[in-house]
């Protein structure tokens, strides 16, 4: 790890590579997934799903299913006349946004394949699945619209009652906002005496593909209704259940037990959760639903699915002068909980680390008859980073310089921080020069460039490409005031509490809800450091709304930056709260005490008392000051004033076989600046997982529908996730510029690898074959696609087409649902 800026003083725990506390029970099979939960008398659910992408439900015959062995009941939406709640959209990006109602069970209209039309309740999961095959549904199939560009035409409507497929249009313009100049003027000037580069990039549809399928268990038999569910958002789920069903929130307990991954895919309130809740309450018995893997791929929300049209203006020497982004985002059949806002998050990231004087971002969201789209690891930031990093390579090629040279020419210098970007975002700290220098050193950049040159000159059929990705991201989705200005439906604060137990142990209660990130370990390290107690004496409690009664959960790399800071502040409150008790026990003035390494000491003497001794004394309450209440426990809620901005430089070498199109990773180096590192072992794991996920988008993964709207990549046979055999050993390192907006100086790491790696890999592949006139290869860059590009190199087929979908959006815009058009 390479220090760039001054670090905090060395401590016992922060920065220590401790093994995760969580792993012992996980790897020994003593964990409790939701599907492991068995309650007395528990019933099992199976969902009857539409095979059609778009249809009318004419009739549902449930009689055969009701008569099947061990079946207790079969329900349709008609059996719940008062409803069963609804899946909410928490982020309407414009007041006029078209937002179809998303009910848990279809009544008459199916808008995508996999929608639930009935539920079978049986005494075993197998019996429920068998009986579901007996439910006879008569559908009238309707024409389906699947592609975002086709949706713009409004010729086939995903929801005929809405009269349009256009959901919302959203714009950020630097000239209008007063944060920069006119992008149209910058482009016009560049057309006269500079460089204008126009490209369209495709972000394919992806599936989060978490390890543990979604599962829900509901017990309605106690004073509270208790729901165990595989979710990232237990607190938000409890609120939305109450808000949409009318149940008192105090009567709902949501527990997220051990959760096997999420990647954004478990931040919904899902139809299955509402249906399981409704059935359990109707029958007065516990009920469980666990999806199959094929159900997960089909109906758990998808990610990405965008068309990106970019216009970059620059001077002849490669100095950027303007950037215009026109984004077309497919929301699928419904506007998911934050689905409409995910594409908009890219508005503050397309300009990335570069000093664009003028900028405009236009986003048109549309509805189609496909699975709903929402946050997937990175959520809007990977899409933006991919586009701008691909574009910067194009600019370097146009100017005729090395890709790193064009980036250095335009990026924010370390001495310019804090820096207000052209979109109005304040980057608090960073050092792109240091991260890049370290990455080049580890990568052997100059040597690999020399090898690339030699291979080209020799006509080697296996060409070498070098890909660059220098990125930043906005982490710690949080500042409540900012989110309020964007019409986001919740705040961004986070909560923590610390209980000092009389035995000397410490309980930390956090509002964040981990699903593999290592909170129990990292939070223990933070508290052990702050309070001076042993690491093993700290226990972290989470994911249960009856224990952690307040919180906003885990997504957007917010847990450490926001939740961790709440833990720090709670610990600091404990220290201050215990101080007068310690002074009383030591018969000293509070002003004469100092706290260090877990002890209060009288300055200049050897008299002292440990904070755990104070906790025991306040528990006994035999001797404490009259004006104080017993107890030194403390709560804290933290609401940041800004996002955090990790950054880094990723370098990838790819070998491309020009005879077969096969692309192989030769070397991958990344140097990330995530501020203060709490646990380098956890960071390494997060980075490695993120890299594989981002590389997978570049090379392997894509959710594909046929012309009828059937998901043809509905299993892991067809949806190609990578295995360890498909990747290599990565070289990782860190530079450090501390965040200035939180006490710890942390910035966030959970999404960095995914954000940066995709463009690094694609840039490397294109770099390997650029000398043949190839500018782009659509992701995933399969051997077939690379080979096809090579076969047609130089022909009209690979010339950069410029389909101006934004003009289509403007021409077809419904004034009642969209804002200003976005002509190119």
């Amino acid at each position: 790890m390479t220090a760039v800026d001054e670090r905090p003083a060395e401590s016992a725990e922060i920065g220590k590579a401790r093994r995760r506390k969580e792993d012992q029970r996980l790897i020994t099979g003593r964990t409790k997934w939701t599907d492991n939960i068995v309650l007395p008398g528990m019933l099992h659910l199976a969902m009857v799903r539409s095979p059609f992408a778009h249809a009318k439900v004419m009739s549902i015959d449930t009689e055969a299913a009701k008569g099947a062995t061990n079946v207790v009941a079969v329900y349709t939406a008609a059996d719940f006349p008062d409803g069963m709640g609804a899946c909410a959209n928490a982020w309407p990006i414009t007041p006029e946004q078209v937002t179809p109602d998303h009910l848990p069970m279809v009544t008459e209209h199916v808008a995508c394949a996999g929608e639930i039309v009935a539920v079978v309740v049986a005494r075993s999961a197998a019996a429920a699945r068998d009986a579901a095959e007996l439910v006879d549904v008569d559908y009238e199939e309707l024409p389906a619209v699947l592609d975002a560009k086709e949706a713009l035409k409004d010729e086939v409507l995903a929801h005929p009652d809405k009269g349009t497929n256009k959901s919302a249009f959203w714009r950020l313009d630097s000239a209008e906002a007063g944060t920069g100049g006119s992008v149209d003027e910058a482009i016009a000037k560049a057309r006269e005496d500079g460089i204008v580069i126009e490209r369209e990039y495709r972000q394919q549809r992806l599936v989060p593909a978490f390890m543990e399928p979604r599962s829900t268990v509901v017990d309605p038999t106690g004073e509270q209704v208790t729901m165990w569910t595989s979710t990232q958002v237990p607190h938000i789920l409890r609120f939305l259940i109450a808000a949409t069903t009318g149940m008192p929130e105090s009567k709902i307990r949501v527990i997220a037990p051990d959760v096997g991954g999420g990647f954004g895919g478990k931040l919904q309130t899902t139809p299955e959760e509402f249906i399981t809740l409704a059935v359990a309450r109707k029958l007065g018995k516990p009920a469980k639903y666990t999806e199959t893997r094929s159900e997960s791929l089909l109906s758990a929300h998808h990610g990405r699915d965008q068309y990106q049209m970019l216009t970059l203006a620059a001077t002849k020497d490669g100095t950027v002068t303007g950037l215009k982004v026109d984004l077309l985002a497919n929301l699928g059949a419904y506007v998911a909980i934050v689905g409409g806002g995910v594409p908009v998050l890219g508005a503050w990231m397309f300009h990335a680390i570069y000093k664009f004087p003028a900028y405009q971002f236009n986003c048109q969201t549309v509805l189609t008859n496909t699975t709903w789209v929402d946050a997937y690891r990175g959520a809007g930031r990977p899409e933006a980073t991919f586009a701008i990093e691909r574009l910067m390579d194009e600019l370097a090629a146009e100017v005729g310089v090395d890709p790193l040279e064009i980036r250095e020419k335009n990026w924010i210098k370390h001495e310019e921080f804090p820096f207000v970007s052209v979109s109005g975002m304040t980057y608090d700290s960073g050092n792109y020069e240091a991260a890049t220098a370290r990455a080049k050193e580890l990568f052997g950049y100059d040597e690999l460039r020399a090898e690339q040159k030699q291979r080209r000159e020799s006509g080697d059929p296996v060409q070498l490409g070098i890909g660059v990705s220098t990125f930043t991201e906005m982490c710690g989705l949080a500042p409540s005031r900012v989110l309020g200005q964007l019409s986001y439906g919740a705040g961004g604060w986070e909560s923590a509490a610390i209980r000092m137990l009389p035995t000397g142990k410490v309980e930390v209660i956090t509002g964040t809800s981990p699903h593999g990130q290592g909170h129990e370990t990292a939070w223990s390290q933070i508290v052990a450091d702050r309070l001076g107690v042993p690491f093993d004496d700290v226990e972290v409690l989470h994911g249960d709304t009856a224990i952690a009664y307040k919180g906003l959960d885990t997504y957007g790399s917010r847990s450490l930056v926001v939740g961790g800071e709440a833990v720090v502040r709670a610990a600091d409150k404990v220290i201050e709260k215990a101080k007068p008790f310690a002074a009383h026990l030591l018969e000293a003035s509070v002003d004469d005490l100092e706290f260090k390494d877990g002890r209060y000491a009288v300055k200049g003497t050897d008299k002292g008392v440990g904070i755990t001794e104070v906790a025991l004394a306040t528990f006994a309450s035999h001797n404490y000051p009259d004006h104080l209440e017993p107890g030194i426990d403390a709560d804290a809620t933290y609401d940041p004033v800004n996002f955090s901005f990790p950054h880094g430089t990723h370098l990838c070498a790819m070998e491309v076989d020009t005879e077969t199109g096969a692309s192989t990773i030769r070397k991958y180096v990344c140097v990330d600046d995530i501020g203060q590192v709490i646990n380098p072992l956890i960071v390494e794991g997060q980075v490695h997982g993120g890299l594989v996920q981002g590389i997978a988008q570049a090379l392997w993964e894509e959710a594909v529908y046929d012309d009828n709207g059937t998901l043809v990549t509905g299993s892991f046979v067809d949806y190609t996730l990578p295995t360890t055999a498909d990747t290599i050993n990565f070289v990782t390192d860190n530079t450090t510029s501390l965040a200035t907006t939180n006490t710890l100086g942390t910035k966030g790491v959970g999404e960095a690898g995914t954000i940066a790696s995709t463009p690094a890999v694609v840039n490397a592949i294109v770099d390997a074959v650029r000398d043949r006139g190839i500018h782009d290869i659509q992701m995933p860059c399969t051997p077939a696609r690379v080979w096809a590009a090579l076969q047609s190199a130089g022909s009209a087929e690979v010339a950069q087409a410029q389909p101006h979908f934004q003009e289509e959006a403007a021409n077809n815009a419904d004034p009642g649902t969209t804002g200003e058009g976005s002509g190119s």
Side-chain angles (χ1 to χ4, degrees):
M1 191 176 291
T2 305
V4 176
D5 296 332
E6 184 180 353
R7 297 168 181 259
E10 287 299 316
S11 59
E13 287 296 337
I14 289 180
K16 191 171 185 178
R18 280 197 175 271
R19 292 185 177 183
R20 303 195 320 173
K21 287 184 174 183
E22 301 90 328
D23 288 349
Q24 182 64 24
R25 70 175 187 274
L26 291 171
I27 63 177
T28 56
R30 292 184 293 108
T31 186
K32 181 174 279 188
W33 311 113
T34 301
D35 192 45
N36 296 147
I37 296 168
V38 178
L39 303 177
M42 185 173 71
L43 301 172
H44 297 264
L45 277 55
M47 306 299 168
V48 180
R49 299 180 184 273
S50 168
F52 298 110
H54 198 197
K56 287 183 181 179
V57 179
M58 307 306 292
S59 66
I60 305 175
D61 185 351
T62 62
E63 290 308 308
K66 287 178 179 177
T69 303
N70 284 324
V71 169
V72 173
V74 182
Y75 295 126
T76 66
D79 294 304
F80 300 91
D82 296 328
M84 55 180 74
C87 299
N89 168 237
W91 193 352
I93 60 173
T94 68
E96 302 85 10
Q97 175 178 285
V98 173
T99 309
D101 292 337
H102 191 181
L103 302 179
M105 199 179 294
V106 167
T107 54
E108 298 177 351
H109 177 246
V110 170
C112 64
E115 281 215 85
I116 300 164
V117 297
V119 57
V120 175
V121 188
R123 292 184 178 88
S124 72
R129 287 195 295 269
D130 288 344
E133 299 290 331
L134 302 177
V135 176
D136 186 13
V137 186
D138 182 21
Y139 297 96
E140 179 187 325
E141 189 174 3
L142 301 172
V145 59
L146 308 172
D147 178 73
K149 289 185 179 180
E150 289 300 311
L152 274 179
K153 299 174 184 177
D154 277 344
E155 292 174 355
V156 176
L157 299 179
H159 294 269
D161 62 311
K162 296 301 178 184
T164 182
N165 293 321
K166 302 178 189 69
S167 181
F169 179 85
W170 193 92
R171 164 175 286 177
L172 188 156
D173 186 282
S174 63
E176 295 172 3
T179 55
S182 165
V183 75
D184 290 331
E185 291 179 5
I187 293 170
K189 183 173 183 355
R191 290 194 193 281
E192 292 179 0
D193 59 1
I195 296 169
V196 174
I197 296 176
E198 296 177 287
R199 295 288 185 268
E200 180 181 304
Y201 298 123
R202 176 80 170 112
Q203 284 282 324
Q204 77 270 39
R205 179 176 284 246
L206 301 174
V207 177
F210 28 74
M211 184 178 293
E212 176 209 17
R214 297 172 303 166
S215 181
T216 300
V217 174
V218 176
D219 183 359
T221 60
E223 288 295 317
Q224 288 181 313
V225 173
T226 302
M227 175 185 283
W228 294 262
T229 187
S230 181
T231 184
Q232 297 175 221
V233 289
H235 297 92
I236 292 171
L237 175 57
R238 180 180 66 165
F239 168 76
L240 287 174
I241 288 172
T244 63
T245 67
M247 294 175 63
E249 191 171 354
S250 62
K251 297 297 184 183
I252 305 166
R253 180 184 183 186
V254 176
I255 302 171
D258 289 313
V259 176
F263 312 119
K266 292 179 180 173
L267 57 70
Q268 298 296 331
T269 55
T270 68
E272 295 86 352
E273 286 166 334
F274 283 108
I275 292 170
T276 307
L277 173 66
V279 168
R281 294 181 71 201
K282 189 176 186 72
L283 294 173
K285 294 183 178 181
K288 177 194 283 186
Y289 168 75
T290 300
E291 69 185 1
T292 64
R293 180 60 69 183
S294 59
E295 285 181 297
S296 180
L297 291 169
L298 173 66
S299 60
H301 82 243
H302 294 171
R304 314 287 194 250
D305 202 344
Q306 297 178 359
Y307 290 97
Q308 305 169 316
M309 180 68 191
L310 296 102
T311 306
L312 181 145
T315 61
K316 289 180 179 179
D317 70 350
T319 302
V320 296
T321 58
L323 178 65
K324 185 174 185 178
V325 178
D326 290 287
L327 194 67
L328 179 61
N330 186 356
L331 301 182
Y334 296 99
V335 189
I337 189 167
V338 292
V342 165
V344 167
L345 282 173
W348 295 277
M349 287 288 102
F350 269 92
H351 52 71
I353 65 175
Y354 307 113
K355 295 183 286 189
F356 282 96
Y359 175 66
Q360 186 183 92
F361 172 90
N362 304 292
C363 178
Q364 176 72 60
T365 60
V366 293
L367 300 163
T368 62
N369 297 119
T370 59
T371 300
W372 31 324
V373 175
D374 207 331
Y376 172 63
R377 197 171 189 172
R381 282 82 48 83
E383 297 92 316
T385 300
F386 177 84
I388 188 59
E389 287 304 288
R390 289 286 296 109
L391 206 58
M392 293 305 286
D393 261 30
E394 296 297 291
L395 178 59
E398 182 71 22
V399 177
V401 298
D402 187 273
L404 279 174
E405 182 180 335
I406 209 73
R407 286 165 169 82
E408 184 174 6
K409 182 182 216 36
N410 289 288
W411 69 35
I412 305 158
K413 305 298 188 291
H414 71 274
E415 65 269 14
E416 295 177 291
F417 289 96
F419 184 88
V420 180
S421 75
V422 71
S423 63
M425 193 70 74
T426 300
Y427 297 176
D428 64 325
S429 68
N431 193 322
Y432 310 138
E433 301 97 311
T436 302
R438 180 61 176 152
K440 285 184 67 178
E441 176 189 350
L442 293 171
F443 191 66
Y445 190 84
D446 294 337
E447 293 83 352
L448 283 168
R449 282 293 184 200
E451 180 184 340
Q452 179 188 50
K453 183 173 183 290
Q454 186 275 325
R455 286 199 191 194
R456 282 188 176 166
E457 290 173 348
S458 68
D460 194 322
V462 179
Q463 288 292 300
L464 181 66
I466 296 172
V468 176
S469 177
T470 50
F471 82 105
T472 190
E473 55 162 324
M474 49 192 284
C475 274
L477 188 65
S480 295
R481 291 179 179 85
V482 173
L483 296 178
Q485 293 168 1
L486 296 173
S487 301
Y488 187 76
W493 50 265
E494 196 47 81
S495 179
I498 292 181
R499 298 173 186 158
M500 303 296 295
L501 305 181
T503 55
K505 309 300 183 183
V506 181
E507 285 183 342
V508 179
I509 299 93
T510 176
T512 63
S513 185
H515 42 282
Q517 292 88 343
H519 293 184
E520 293 176 30
T521 303
W523 277 216
S524 294
Q525 290 180 265
I526 292 169
V527 170
D529 240 24
R530 214 72 178 185
L531 298 183
V533 297
F535 169 81
D536 290 327
D537 286 351
V538 183
E539 182 176 7
V540 178
L541 306 177
H542 57 80
D544 183 340
T545 61
I547 296 173
Y549 72 93
K550 185 169 69 169
L552 284 174
D553 306 318
T554 296
Y555 41 86
S557 296
R558 69 187 303 274
S559 292
L560 178 60
V561 177
V562 188
E565 182 66 15
V567 169
V568 168
R569 294 184 179 217
D572 288 347
K573 284 185 178 181
V574 167
I575 293 168
E576 287 305 307
K577 200 171 180 180
K579 206 169 190 178
F581 288 100
H584 182 76
L585 293 172
L586 294 170
E587 298 180 336
S589 167
V590 169
D591 295 336
D592 290 335
L593 293 189
E594 58 184 3
F595 181 78
K596 185 179 180 181
D597 298 331
R599 289 183 62 79
Y600 295 94
V602 180
K603 297 173 185 175
T605 76
D606 58 0
K607 290 177 61 178
V609 62
I611 194 168
T612 56
E613 296 173 78
V614 176
L616 178 59
T618 59
F619 169 75
S621 298
H622 296 159
N623 178 21
Y624 65 93
D626 292 338
H627 64 285
L628 296 177
E629 296 178 358
I632 57 174
D633 300 344
D635 296 2
T637 299
Y638 172 61
D639 195 348
V641 297
N642 193 9
F643 299 93
S644 66
F645 299 94
H647 69 81
T649 297
H650 289 223
L651 300 174
C652 176
M654 296 290 296
E655 292 184 333
V656 177
D657 189 329
T658 59
E659 296 177 343
T660 66
S663 301
T664 306
I665 307 171
R666 160 82 173 273
K667 189 171 186 178
Y668 196 103
V669 168
C670 66
V671 176
D672 291 308
D673 185 333
I674 59 170
Q676 176 64 49
V677 173
I678 303 300
N679 184 319
L681 194 62
I682 290 177
V683 166
E684 188 84 349
Q686 288 275 19
V687 170
H688 278 219
L691 290 176
V692 173
Q693 212 151 3
I695 292 168
Q697 179 178 4
L699 296 179
W700 299 296
E701 292 186 40
E702 183 175 22
V704 179
Y705 290 93
D706 67 15
D707 292 341
N708 296 318
T710 301
L711 184 69
V712 297
T713 51
S715 75
F716 285 154
V717 173
D718 303 295
Y719 188 83
T720 48
L721 289 178
T723 69
T724 53
D726 298 306
T727 58
I728 64 169
N729 290 325
F730 307 116
V731 179
T732 68
D733 202 356
N734 296 98
T735 55
T736 302
S737 54
L738 299 177
T740 63
T741 54
N742 63 72
T743 305
L744 292 168
T746 57
K747 293 183 177 182
V749 70
E751 297 164 303
T754 304
I755 291 170
S757 58
T758 309
V761 171
V762 176
N763 277 342
I765 294 171
V766 174
D767 185 58
V769 295
R770 185 181 290 280
D771 64 327
R772 303 181 182 215
I774 297 172
H775 294 284
D776 190 32
I777 299 169
Q778 185 173 307
M779 295 187 294
C781 299
T782 60
R785 284 181 174 170
V786 174
W787 185 85
L790 287 163
Q791 297 308 299
S792 56
S795 73
E797 295 178 48
V798 293
Q800 280 293 323
Q802 309 298 336
H804 290 264
F805 65 75
Q806 70 279 12
E807 292 180 358
E808 292 184 58
N811 295 335
N812 290 287
D814 179 346
T817 60
T818 60
E820 182 180 355
S822 56
S824 176

